[in-house]
Amino acid sequence: MKILAIMGSPHGMKGNTGRLLEEVLVGVQQEGSEVEVVSLCEFKVLPCVSCHVCHKTGKCTLKDDYEKIKEKLLSCGGFIFASPNYIHCVTAQLKAFFDRCACLIHCVALEGKYGAVVETSGGGDDADVIRYMEHVVNVLGAQSVGGIGSKMAGCRVFPDEESLFTKGRELGKELCRCIQEQRQFPEQDAFRNMFKARMKGLVESQQKDWAYEYEFWRTRG
Ligand SMILES: Cc1cc2nc3c(=O)[nH]c(=O)nc-3n(C[C@H](O)[C@H](O)[C@H](O)COP(=O)(O)O)c2cc1C
């Protein structure tokens, strides 16, 4: 089984978020899973231009790496979103990727998958960014296994590092175990069910224009 990590830091794996993600990925590997890291700073993912073509055809027409990364996300066993805190949100690189996932979100296309999130910050406020990324996991249709975040204490150094890294490895293991056991998170059901019904209604209301998404819902198992 492959776990895909999508990393939003402009420092890729060399920064603070990369250091914390490394520990989560050690946990993943200790459970016998393969890892693949997509560092967005090494790929080209342009901002969404709201042309709505993806809703009609299922594909984005912008000439960049989005479709390639999307296919990796659709075929992975589980996934991790990782980002530093940039003004109480994710980096522009990761936000651009999320915006480009509008078609996947309309189709809640990652239903059945599991995601985890990793964040670091300069001075705290980790919870807001973790919550936001877990929300994106849910609107994509997946269940969130949890998140880890910490302020930094220098370059690739954290306060109470031993305990943080232990928790990071545990999160990686937990992600794999949840997939193996098909664990359910009933506390996420109310929101996920409400959102799924909303997206179905939205796509149905646009059925004349959004042919791909309408067909996706019509033929959904
Ligand atoms: C543009 C920018 C905005 C930032 N905004 C915040 C912020 O709002 N709150 C915070 O605690 N840290 C903030 N930081 C600090 C980073 O979140 C922190 O240094 C992080 O660990 C960097 O991770 P990286 O090395 O993986 O890029 C910001 C840094 C940058 C460059």
Side-chain angles (χ1 to χ4, degrees):
M1 176 171 66
K2 186 182 276 183
I3 302 297
L4 178 73
I6 300 189
M7 159 56 89
S9 170
H11 299 119
M13 290 301 286
K14 296 191 179 110
N16 297 328
T17 318
R19 180 67 194 94
L20 184 52
L21 177 59
E22 268 172 24
E23 295 299 326
V24 178
L25 296 180
V26 166
V28 167
Q29 285 165 324
Q30 284 173 346
E31 282 293 306
S33 290
E34 245 186 280
V35 299
E36 179 176 1
V37 178
V38 167
S39 279
L40 293 174
C41 62
E42 293 167 12
F43 290 80
K44 187 173 163 189
V45 178
L46 296 164
C48 174
V49 294
S50 191
C51 65
H52 302 295
V53 170
C54 62
H55 310 317
K56 298 173 209 278
T57 68
K59 293 255 189 291
C60 184
T61 55
L62 292 176
K63 300 281 175 278
D64 65 7
D65 297 316
Y66 170 70
E67 286 292 331
K68 195 161 61 185
I69 302 171
K70 182 184 91 177
E71 290 309 321
K72 289 178 190 287
L73 195 51
L74 286 169
S75 62
C76 71
F79 63 95
I80 299 169
F81 292 143
S83 179
N85 178 333
Y86 271 18
I87 322 298
H88 297 257
C89 197
V90 296
T91 59
Q93 288 87 339
L94 188 58
K95 182 60 167 59
F97 178 77
F98 288 164
D99 291 350
R100 295 286 292 284
C101 289
C103 175
L104 294 184
I105 290 170
H106 284 181
C107 297
V108 288
L110 299 191
E111 195 172 34
K113 290 195 191 290
Y114 292 83
V117 309
V118 176
E119 180 265 8
T120 69
S121 67
D125 302 319
D126 305 299
D128 289 349
V129 184
I130 292 171
R131 201 175 305 116
Y132 171 67
M133 287 195 281
E134 288 196 85
H135 189 68
V136 177
V137 171
N138 280 165
V139 297
L140 281 161
Q143 295 185 82
S144 175
V145 165
I148 189 163
S150 173
K151 66 179 177 186
M152 50 97 159
C155 184
R156 290 170 67 83
V157 179
F158 299 92
D160 202 5
E161 194 167 87
E162 211 178 302
S163 151
L164 178 72
F165 288 172
T166 302
K167 284 184 195 146
R169 290 191 295 275
E170 194 46 45
L171 179 63
K173 289 182 195 170
E174 192 65 357
L175 174 60
C176 297
R177 290 184 201 129
C178 286
I179 297 165
Q180 277 148 13
E181 296 163 15
Q182 290 292 290
R183 193 143 353 128
Q184 295 303 305
F185 291 83
E187 68 280 12
Q188 295 173 30
D189 284 353
F191 174 76
R192 289 175 59 246
N193 291 338
M194 177 280 292
F195 190 78
K196 184 176 175 183
R198 208 177 102 198
M199 289 302 104
K200 185 170 189 272
L202 172 69
V203 170
E204 279 171 358
S205 76
Q206 301 295 318
Q207 66 176 272
K208 285 201 185 73
D209 288 330
W210 294 357
Y212 172 85
E213 290 179 0
Y214 181 67
E215 195 56 17
F216 186 96
W217 276 102
R218 203 185 61 76
T219 56
R220 185 179 209 121

